[in-house]
Amino acid sequence: MLDALRHIVQDLDAAPSFRAALDMIVARVSMILDVEVCSIFLRDRAGRFHFVANEGLNPEFVGKLSLAADEGLVGVVAERAEPINLEEASSHPRFFYVAGLNEDPYGAFLGVPIIHVREVLGVLVLQDREVRRYDENEVAFLVTLAAQIAGRVAHAEATGNIKGLLPAVAGDTTESRFKGIPGVPGIGIGLAHVALPTARLELVTEREAGDAAAELDLFESAIGQARADIERINQQMAEHLGPEERELFDAYLHMLDALADDVSARIRAGQWAQGALKQAIFEQAAVFERMQSSYLRERSADVRELGQRVLAKLQEIGDIKTALPDSLVLIAEEVTAPMMADFPIERLRGIVSLKGSRNSHGAILADALGIPTVMGAGDVPIYGITGQTVVVDGYYGEVFFNPRAPVAESYRQFLAEEEEFARELEDLRDLPSVTQDGHAINLWVNIGLVSEITRSLDRGAEGIGLFRTEVPFAMGDRFPTEEEQRAIYREHMEAFDPRPVTMRTLDIGGDKPLSYFPINEDNPFLGWRGIRVTLDHPEIFLSQARAMMKANVGLDGILRIMLPMVSRLEQIEEASALIQRAHREVLEEGYAVKPPLVGVMIEVPAAIYLVQEIASSVDFIAVGSNDLTQYMLAVDRNNPRVADLFEEVHPAMLAALREIAKRCHEVGKPVGICGELAGTPEGAVLCVGMGYDVLSMNAANLPRVKWVIRNVSVRFCRRVVVQALKMRSSKEILAFVRNQLEQANLRQAVPHHELPVRG
Ligand code: PEP
Ligand code: MG
């Protein structure tokens, strides 16, 4: 059975069209189970069931017959959302006779719903002449098959491949909507431009070279041109990016060098240039892919992209970019940094990458450039969409193709409101973040790139609440030296002086490994991450701590060193001892620096129950609500399939956040929050109401949150919290907070989109 199922599913994916796939299913199922009739009914958006594929009944009805939800047994299966197994169908009160369909001789009936994410999309039916009940194995087979088909039906619906099988419903259009991961916040509207590789490595055949010397010449010229391309892109990017981000392009140049050596050796061994390139790229990419970590898979995309670039030069394929629209949304299997840089930045309204996460190089660069981005939108069809209107919703990780007029209009209006609100927010820059009843709330920024310094200061940041030091580490192809680190940290500290700067020790692992420091684990989020890595590598920890302290020399700004992923008290003792040692060493080297403040992130649930002891042993606490949500709710923060379950204001999260703030204040320690939650108006109101002293967020969100803070009182926020803590779901909590903001005339701060419901 398992083999039969596997083959059906494989053939399903190989079928030339969705219609052919359905025909194949009914034919194969009736053969494998030896049943006389097998049918598929699919539900349209108006709720009718259409007879779309069949084996055994009158074929003329396929594509023509449809049943209302209350007509026939198919409707009963859908209503009950479970299998119905009957000996004699016609004696069921809901049996619906269709003249001419030739169902008359059949008694036995088995109907199984096709369900995707709780929604019944259709029904699979078996029928037989014999008066009998289908046995357990047959039912189990059909249920398993229906579950496998469900995802394909949903995909076909989303991609429009279902068109022709189901009639158009009034008001329906070709709009399709896809879910991904929010990459860079913001709304982008433009025309789709798919970046497909112009040269395809997989089409290259391998063969012996006639003249190795000539092939080597060809290859060297190609690699030289690819190198010149990357250098040109690097130059072009100088007006948009700081030198640190542009180091990424140096890393590409190093990769090209490594590639050149590998390919040349293969050419000398007899392979022609294109074949040698293909072999080298496939081998290098496979090495990355086998490593299983998401970050390294992303590097394999970089390798392939470079390979394709060189191949295009070898095949003398010119730049075949057609005339680009003024507003374009770049879509690709994997949007890489050089690919993005190939397009005029001022025309890029949005980015959609089918693969990758917030930590991909493409997403990091898009963030630095402020382009709304959705990552990991794996279901977006890559072919045949160029030129379609696309809305990229980087707030909620959604992409709309050919949006219906009311949807497009609602986004245009939202975008216009956002732009107007942004102008209003510009005036807030130098105003204090003080509530109506006179409480100052520290609004700091989360940072990782040098290019964000100016943006952060322009938006009125009063300090750095989280410096993600792994970002500069990820830009190079080896660990940065202590001096290189010092220079980067210094740049931030000088720019922010005398404001406080919170530097987090390296938080690699999980979804943020380094290409040059591979970590292979089955369960990386529960593995060697954050402080677990750096305590095992005291040399890395010490050089980072020393670099941070040296960067602070002669400045008034307070250096705060923060430890990620702490789950037990001994980790704090060990890390504090290393920080003290680093301080002694820095003093011995002749730098006159004060010891830094030391803080701990609360992002592992166990730390909530130890928070009083933790807070007593350090200078400050900061909640990492992104990871805390992930670990509290057991929901991968980067998995679009469970994105709806990633609830930062889940009742359990609110209870935890309040407990943390209360315990910290009991021992007189300041407490901040630096997850995404702090950068939302709803989260800011809740956190202020709970007594958080510092809200740290992406610079882009800061003015909006400042506007909210200046327009509410702490008393208002506390009242909201008291009510919210009594609620049973995050949906209820969010609706309540938004409603409170609305009543206080502050609703415009919430980046919301209430889309018109489907017709
Ligand atoms: C967090 O986990 O909330 C956090 C701020 O850290 P990061 O997002 O870098 O893991
Ligand atoms: Mg974290």
Side-chain angles (χ1 to χ4, degrees):
M1 281 282 189
L2 186 60
D3 266 355
L5 258 175
R6 202 175 18 234
H7 285 137
I8 295 188
V9 172
Q10 275 166 2
D11 291 351
L12 190 63
D13 290 334
S17 68
F18 186 58
R19 184 189 293 274
L22 297 181
D23 288 342
M24 185 275 294
I25 292 170
V26 290
R28 298 284 291 278
V29 169
S30 46
M31 198 177 72
I32 294 164
L33 295 182
D34 193 19
V35 293
E36 289 166 284
V37 178
C38 177
S39 319
I40 298 177
F41 288 82
L42 292 183
R43 184 186 220 162
D44 68 20
R45 285 188 191 153
R48 284 189 79 81
F49 287 91
H50 297 262
F51 186 57
V52 293
N54 171 261
E55 185 73 24
L57 297 179
N58 183 351
E60 289 184 3
F61 279 71
V62 173
K64 298 203 181 82
L65 171 69
S66 73
L67 301 170
D70 58 356
E71 285 174 344
L73 296 172
V74 166
V76 182
V77 175
E79 247 166 61
R80 298 187 34 183
E82 59 178 4
I84 295 210
N85 192 355
L86 301 171
E87 276 180 19
E88 178 53 65
S90 59
S91 58
H92 192 282
R94 290 276 293 271
F95 179 76
F96 184 78
Y97 180 75
V98 180
L101 182 59
N102 300 348
E103 268 187 305
D104 314 45
Y106 303 110
F109 173 100
L110 172 63
V112 168
I114 301 171
I115 303 180
H116 182 70
V117 195
R118 301 167 188 218
E119 203 186 332
V120 177
L121 303 179
V123 175
L124 252 172
V125 176
L126 303 185
Q127 286 171 281
D128 269 296
R129 224 171 277 255
E130 210 184 322
V131 174
R132 63 148 177 146
R133 235 171 236 287
Y134 288 91
D135 70 28
E136 279 181 3
N137 288 334
E138 289 164 321
V139 177
F141 179 88
L142 213 61
V143 167
T144 315
L145 181 64
Q148 303 248 22
I149 297 173
R152 272 83 172 176
V153 176
H155 187 259
E157 193 177 52
T159 52
N161 286 341
I162 214 158
K163 249 186 286 159
L165 287 176
L166 299 180
V169 170
D172 204 5
T173 66
T174 51
E175 173 183 293
S176 40
R177 179 178 184 170
F178 299 90
K179 192 105 190 95
I181 304 161
V184 180
I187 302 294
I189 303 178
L191 298 181
H193 182 91
V194 178
L196 290 171
T198 48
R200 310 257 312 264
L201 280 163
E202 54 282 14
L203 300 182
V204 169
T205 49
E206 292 171 33
R207 63 172 163 82
E208 297 283 297
D211 177 351
E215 290 296 314
L216 262 182
D217 281 352
L218 276 176
F219 175 68
E220 271 159 23
S221 148
I223 205 119
Q225 292 172 51
R227 169 172 269 284
D229 269 5
I230 303 281
E231 279 165 353
R232 174 183 49 78
I233 291 171
N234 192 0
Q235 288 300 318
Q236 278 170 1
M237 280 287 137
E239 63 177 291
H240 301 287
L241 299 173
E244 186 206 352
E245 287 94 87
R246 287 192 291 122
E247 265 181 31
L248 190 60
F249 297 105
D250 290 337
Y252 286 124
L253 291 177
H254 288 146
M255 283 162 82
L256 270 184
D257 289 343
L259 188 65
D261 293 344
D262 188 351
V263 177
S264 303
R266 288 169 199 264
I267 297 175
R268 275 188 219 101
Q271 189 55 232
W272 73 310
Q274 295 189 26
L277 178 68
K278 176 184 177 177
Q279 288 175 348
I281 294 290
F282 278 27
E283 272 180 31
Q284 291 188 13
V287 170
F288 282 124
E289 267 154 22
R290 271 201 300 275
M291 286 174 179
Q292 282 191 350
S293 94
S294 61
Y295 187 89
L296 292 172
R297 275 200 296 276
E298 281 149 26
R299 291 316 287 245
S300 83
D302 291 337
V303 169
R304 271 196 306 274
E305 141 94 21
L306 282 179
Q308 245 124 19
R309 234 168 231 280
V310 178
L311 183 64
K313 307 293 179 199
L314 277 174
Q315 296 180 339
E316 297 182 359
I317 298 175
D319 192 357
I320 53 164
K321 234 175 272 156
T322 43
L324 293 171
D326 287 344
S327 300
L328 75 92
V329 171
L330 173 62
I331 302 169
E333 186 73 21
E334 173 117 37
V335 177
T336 60
M339 180 191 292
M340 211 153 85
D342 262 347
F343 292 86
I345 299 299
E346 58 289 352
R347 293 197 199 176
L348 277 182
R349 297 286 178 273
I351 289 174
V352 178
S353 184
L354 276 65
K355 291 189 188 156
S357 69
R358 246 188 274 243
N359 300 307
S360 312
H361 281 151
I364 294 174
L365 194 65
D367 195 13
L369 296 166
I371 304 170
T373 297
V374 172
M375 302 296 293
D379 283 340
V380 167
I382 205 97
Y383 295 101
I385 50 171
T386 289
Q388 292 189 8
T389 301
V390 193
V391 175
V392 179
D393 184 338
Y395 290 116
Y396 293 90
E398 289 195 291
V399 187
F400 291 79
F401 287 88
N402 286 330
R404 286 168 297 139
V407 171
E409 188 41 43
S410 121
Y411 268 113
R412 283 208 180 87
Q413 199 182 331
F414 175 39
L415 193 57
E417 281 166 17
E418 285 273 290
E419 281 165 3
E420 195 190 319
F421 189 46
R423 281 191 288 277
E424 187 182 333
L425 294 180
E426 276 169 20
D427 301 336
L428 291 186
R429 189 191 162 207
D430 297 318
L431 298 176
S433 90
V434 174
T435 60
Q436 296 268 309
D437 46 356
H439 288 79
I441 309 290
N442 295 297
L443 296 189
W444 296 358
V445 279
N446 298 346
I447 208 164
L449 296 167
V450 174
S451 61
E452 290 173 313
I453 296 177
T454 318
R455 190 157 38 128
S456 304
L457 291 171
D458 279 353
R459 305 221 160 134
E462 294 156 350
I464 295 180
L466 166 62
F467 185 119
R468 290 188 166 100
T469 56
E470 58 280 1
V471 176
F473 271 65
M475 292 296 176
D477 54 7
R478 55 163 174 76
F479 281 112
T481 64
E482 190 169 316
E483 175 49 26
E484 283 166 346
Q485 290 184 59
R486 188 204 63 79
I488 295 169
Y489 303 157
R490 178 76 182 181
E491 217 170 318
H492 288 78
M493 287 189 194
E494 263 178 5
F496 272 80
D497 198 47
R499 302 172 184 89
V501 171
T502 313
M503 300 238 145
R504 176 169 72 184
T505 58
L506 198 59
D507 185 18
I508 52 168
D511 60 340
K512 327 180 237 201
L514 302 172
S515 60
Y516 48 86
F517 189 65
I519 300 172
N520 290 314
E521 296 173 320
D522 285 343
N523 237 330
F525 275 113
L526 301 183
W528 207 38
R529 267 202 74 170
I531 193 132
R532 302 170 184 182
V533 177
T534 50
L535 286 181
D536 286 350
H537 276 282
E539 78 287 10
I540 296 175
F541 190 101
L542 282 167
S543 95
Q544 221 190 355
R546 281 194 303 260
M548 290 172 182
M549 290 182 223
K550 288 178 185 172
N552 196 222
V553 170
L555 300 179
D556 295 323
I558 293 168
L559 166 64
R560 298 156 38 105
I561 296 185
M562 183 159 80
L563 311 172
M565 287 295 294
V566 168
S567 60
R568 58 183 190 195
L569 296 165
E570 294 94 312
Q571 290 167 328
I572 305 173
E573 286 156 22
E574 281 179 60
S576 300
L578 287 174
I579 291 172
Q580 281 163 20
R581 177 175 148 192
H583 184 237
R584 278 196 307 278
E585 288 169 356
V586 169
L587 290 180
E588 277 162 24
E589 280 187 57
Y591 294 91
V593 286
K594 294 188 288 288
L597 297 182
V598 177
V600 162
M601 290 187 80
I602 304 293
E603 48 186 354
V604 177
I608 302 167
Y609 298 95
L610 297 175
V611 70
Q612 208 153 10
E613 287 93 327
I614 296 175
S616 307
S617 62
V618 293
D619 301 300
F620 66 93
I621 290 293
V623 177
S625 55
N626 306 336
D627 275 314
L628 191 59
T629 309
Q630 157 161 280
Y631 294 120
M632 282 275 281
L633 307 182
V635 176
D636 180 344
R637 57 194 268 191
N638 290 323
N639 182 345
R641 195 173 285 170
V642 286
D644 286 349
L645 290 172
F646 190 84
E647 300 169 316
E648 291 150 299
V649 296
H650 186 287
M653 277 296 294
L654 283 200
L657 289 172
R658 192 195 52 160
E659 185 69 12
I660 295 166
K662 199 164 142 227
R663 298 280 169 235
C664 289
H665 288 153
E666 275 169 14
V667 292
K669 293 293 163 65
V671 59
I673 172 161
C674 56
E676 298 299 314
L677 179 64
T680 65
E682 303 92 331
V685 165
L686 290 167
C687 292
V688 168
M690 291 184 203
Y692 279 80
D693 308 292
V694 177
L695 307 183
S696 191
M697 64 204 74
N698 287 343
N701 295 332
L702 197 143
R704 190 187 295 274
V705 170
K706 190 192 258 191
W707 185 86
V708 173
I709 299 285
R710 289 179 53 82
N711 283 293
V712 294
S713 65
V714 170
R715 281 185 49 216
F716 165 88
C717 298
R718 283 192 191 134
R719 274 203 310 272
V720 172
V721 168
V722 169
Q723 292 304 317
L725 281 167
K726 294 181 194 154
M727 293 178 177
R728 294 160 56 91
S729 71
S730 62
K731 203 168 158 206
E732 198 184 346
I733 293 167
L734 273 182
F736 170 71
V737 182
R738 285 177 189 165
N739 182 272
Q740 293 296 299
L741 287 169
E742 189 156 0
Q743 287 187 16
N745 274 330
L746 306 175
R747 180 65 193 248
Q748 60 178 309
V750 182
H752 67 114
H753 60 272
E754 269 143 28
L755 294 174
V757 270
R758 275 185 185 284

